[in-house]
Amino acid sequence: MTEVSPRIGLGYVMPSQAQKHVTVNESLRRLDAVVQCAVKSATTTGEPGTPAEGDAYILPAGRSGPAWDILAETHIAVFQDGAFTAIPPAAGFLAYAMDTGRFLLFDGTAWRTIPLSGDNVPSLGINTGADANNRLAVKANAELLSHDDVTPGSGDARKVINKAGTGNTASLLLQTGFSGRAEIGLVGDDNLTVKVSSDGGTFTEVMRADAATGNLGVGLSATPVCRLDVAGPVRVAGYTVAALPPAGAGAGQIIHVTDASGGAVLAFSDGTNWRRVTDRAVVS
């Protein structure tokens, strides 16, 4: 039979043992340190000069001090009966760090922040695993971002993607089988760009909105020079004379009339009638 418990190291009272209270009291001190464990800090490297009875610390790398120099990294150093005692953690130990307000989990090798305090969580995976690149990973069929009824400006809901500088990228990448097929955002500059790809490797720019002018370019390789700048033919919808849309919806509309007298023709709205672009005659 071993003399201590396997996880916390509580001393067992042995048969015919003298001064059994010593073993029991030592176990109670150990339990007092690790049950509902709260440490003053998990990052303090200098051993405090005047610790209070019961003060506990998770020992980080680079620790120093008369007692801490000889105690192991990751161990819980608790000040009891006038001296620091090290308690080695087992995988699954939880501790609350009072200086940061964070909960820590010992994974068998290191103490890691767990998402119970809400702030400064290094990574979070919801129904999937997060990694160093994808610090937030969500596996779900839908994601909801709703307004906050409590904060000022409630009723608004915005998703913000911030980049470090003009030459960087802030975009939304749409994938099929984790291979990119479309990208929308600020891609290498501050102009709004839409790109598509058939293989995830080569992307073709479809549309660009110039940040300085608001001009929109379609299929261009240069900056658009007018409100709509298209690199190629433009097609408008075709209508029969009997099914023309309302011209009064707005002057300046352009359509293609497929069966106008004299043949198919482009027509524009003057705000009241559709007129042929060829001779300005009302379409009939």
Side-chain angles (χ1 to χ4, degrees):
M1 179 178 178
T2 59
E3 296 183 356
V4 296
S5 63
R7 283 182 56 81
I8 304 180
L10 301 178
Y12 292 133
V13 176
M14 306 303 292
S16 303
Q17 176 182 330
Q19 294 187 315
K20 294 179 174 62
H21 66 281
V22 175
T23 299
V24 172
N25 288 343
E26 177 60 30
S27 293
L28 291 176
R29 280 194 293 266
R30 205 170 187 88
L31 286 172
D32 186 67
V34 299
V35 174
Q36 301 290 351
C37 182
V39 297
K40 303 284 286 186
S41 175
T43 57
T44 297
T45 55
E47 181 180 335
T50 56
E53 183 73 11
D55 281 358
Y57 296 81
I58 291 175
L59 297 176
R63 66 211 169 279
S64 63
W68 285 14
D69 279 342
I70 59 174
L71 301 181
E73 181 183 340
T74 75
H75 285 195
I76 300 170
V78 56
F79 193 75
Q80 293 176 330
D81 295 333
F84 275 106
T85 300
I87 299 176
F93 267 37
L94 294 173
Y96 175 70
M98 291 185 282
D99 60 340
T100 62
R102 304 178 195 172
F103 285 89
L104 306 174
L105 169 69
F106 188 70
D107 64 6
T109 303
W111 289 93
R112 304 191 183 280
T113 302
I114 57 177
L116 294 179
S117 61
D119 295 325
N120 298 303
V121 178
S123 63
L124 176 62
I126 300 176
N127 199 34
T128 189
D131 55 41
N133 187 50
N134 300 293
R135 295 294 184 91
L136 172 62
V138 180
K139 185 179 181 182
N141 293 331
E143 176 191 2
L144 173 64
L145 177 65
S146 185
H147 66 89
D148 188 346
D149 291 325
V150 178
T151 59
S154 60
D156 300 332
R158 304 175 68 189
K159 187 160 191 164
V160 178
I161 303 176
N162 182 60
K163 62 179 182 174
T166 298
N168 298 106
T169 292
S171 68
L172 175 66
L173 181 64
L174 307 177
Q175 299 181 323
T176 296
F178 296 102
S179 177
R181 290 296 180 267
E183 186 172 15
I184 305 170
L186 311 180
V187 185
D189 54 35
D190 285 340
N191 304 306
L192 178 63
T193 302
V194 178
K195 296 183 177 183
V196 293
S197 175
S198 61
D199 59 9
T202 302
F203 281 79
T204 300
E205 184 174 309
V206 176
M207 184 174 67
R208 172 179 297 213
D210 184 68
T213 64
N215 292 341
L216 181 65
V218 178
L220 294 179
S221 58
T223 301
V225 298
C226 57
R227 186 59 70 191
L228 178 61
D229 194 347
V230 181
V234 176
R235 182 183 180 186
V236 295
Y239 298 87
T240 64
V241 174
L244 293 176
Q253 301 175 82
I254 297 176
I255 61 172
H256 180 235
V257 183
T258 60
D259 62 348
S261 58
V265 67
L266 285 176
F268 68 93
S269 168
D270 64 4
T272 304
N273 299 298
W274 289 104
R275 295 182 179 274
R276 296 186 302 194
V277 298
T278 53
D279 58 7
R280 295 181 54 82
V282 175
V283 171
S284 60

